[in-house]
Amino acid sequence: MKLLRYGPAGAERPGLLDADGILRDLSGVVPDIGGDTLSDAGLARLRELDPAQLPAVPGQPRIGPCVAGVGKFICIGLNYADHAAETGKSVPPEPVIFLKATSAICGPNDPMEIPQGAVKADWEVELGIVIGARAKNIPQAQALDHVAGYCTINDGSERAFQSDMQGQWTKGKSHDSFGPIGPWLVTRDAVPDPQSLDLWCEVDGIRHQAGNTRTMVYGVAYLVAYLSRFMTLHPGDIIATGTPPGVGLGLKPPVFLRAGQRIRLEVQGLGMQDHLTVDVQP
């Protein structure tokens, strides 16, 4: 299934994209795409529906973030060996973990703001994991049972804030609009192997990133189990799993974003994002 949320920012409604690409309204069935809806039982109830009997949504409404009420937005750094190399860093002996503020979350086609004072705004296409069941100290063999599905993520970054200034990475990763998720949450039954997905990103029509999740250092199941050792994962939590090479920081010479550019990115089967960069709004 492809689950999504549509409508004005802050007033999104739950929806489902049927096999013919028609957006169907789910607001008469579930309150939103989050919480209990993401459990195995909640998703099973949605699978029993006949999409043709759900109301079709007219027009072309804004598509919002595909998950509501995200509690934690957890990111993994340097999880592709060739990306680590392009940034001048070694492959970490354990996953690098940092948090992105949930206020950074936006829709898959919303504008991407360039922060005030930014000089190194950057892009990162990533596979996103959406947790569907509480996970605490779980073994790797059971990790995927705790996943509701997957989505496309752009881990927006400002490298000067992230690395040139003192402190941790979070402040370079958390500006408003630096966390678009979606367009859809694709349930895990429709993604038989999350370690075989192509992903790409282009800026103004030039493709800079083109990779595959098979080259991740730490795979999906490992990451879910690993993270559950340090924090309890709850339904609706999101894990951004790292990016392949081709980010602006790694180009020779480096290239960074400015207002007026268009970013397009996609993870295979999980939908495409399309953002126009804009100067920061108050």
Side-chain angles (χ1 to χ4, degrees):
M1 286 187 297
K2 294 178 179 177
L3 304 176
L4 67 156
R5 302 170 67 247
Y6 70 94
E12 292 92 349
R13 298 163 66 93
L16 177 153
L17 196 70
D18 71 15
D20 296 319
I22 298 172
L23 175 55
R24 302 283 181 172
D25 180 60
L26 281 175
S27 58
V29 181
V30 293
D32 215 331
I33 307 301
D36 290 341
T37 302
L38 298 175
S39 68
D40 282 350
L43 295 176
R45 287 193 294 270
L46 294 182
R47 289 191 191 94
E48 294 172 355
L49 300 173
D50 178 2
Q53 301 302 311
L54 297 169
V57 178
Q60 295 182 320
R62 169 187 173 269
I63 303 301
C66 59
V67 180
V70 175
K72 293 188 286 295
F73 198 152
I74 308 162
C75 301
I76 307 300
L78 306 175
N79 198 28
Y80 288 73
D82 35 13
H83 169 59
E86 74 174 348
T87 62
K89 296 181 173 64
S90 301
V91 174
E94 292 192 33
V96 172
I97 302 170
F98 62 93
L99 297 177
K100 184 185 288 279
T102 56
S103 54
I105 294 172
C106 67
N109 303 310
D110 289 346
M112 179 179 178
E113 289 189 352
I114 305 299
Q116 288 183 355
V119 293
K120 296 182 180 180
D122 209 343
W123 58 85
E124 292 190 14
V125 60
E126 306 200 6
L127 169 66
I129 306 167
V130 181
I131 298 298
R134 181 180 180 273
K136 182 175 182 178
N137 292 319
I138 59 170
Q140 186 174 338
Q142 298 175 9
L144 296 188
D145 295 338
H146 296 261
V147 173
Y150 305 93
C151 64
T152 300
I153 291 178
N154 180 12
D155 177 19
S157 308
E158 209 297 337
R159 305 297 187 185
F161 299 173
Q162 175 188 352
S163 300
D164 297 349
M165 299 170 64
Q166 295 296 314
Q168 299 181 350
W169 289 8
T170 297
K171 66 175 176 286
K173 297 283 191 171
S174 294
H175 189 76
D176 293 353
S177 77
F178 271 19
I181 58 173
W184 319 301
L185 183 164
V186 180
T187 52
R188 75 171 187 267
D189 59 304
V191 185
D193 184 5
Q195 304 303 154
S196 64
L197 303 176
D198 292 330
L199 62 171
W200 59 266
C201 178
E202 63 183 32
V203 180
D204 289 342
I206 300 173
R207 186 157 297 192
H208 293 295
Q209 291 186 277
N212 189 285
T213 56
R214 75 171 65 91
T215 65
M216 289 166 57
V217 178
Y218 302 104
V220 169
Y222 182 92
L223 290 173
V224 173
Y226 181 83
L227 289 168
S228 79
R229 294 169 49 195
F230 306 106
M231 63 192 83
T232 301
L233 304 176
H234 294 98
D237 286 350
I238 292 175
I239 304 167
T241 58
T243 198
V247 300
L249 177 66
L251 299 179
K252 308 297 183 188
V255 175
F256 299 111
L257 294 168
R258 62 186 187 280
Q261 295 187 288
R262 186 164 297 280
I263 308 170
R264 298 171 68 247
L265 59 142
E266 183 176 24
V267 179
Q268 182 181 354
L270 306 185
M272 187 176 73
Q273 297 186 3
D274 189 341
H275 306 281
L276 180 68
T277 57
V278 298
D279 286 324
V280 69
Q281 302 300 309

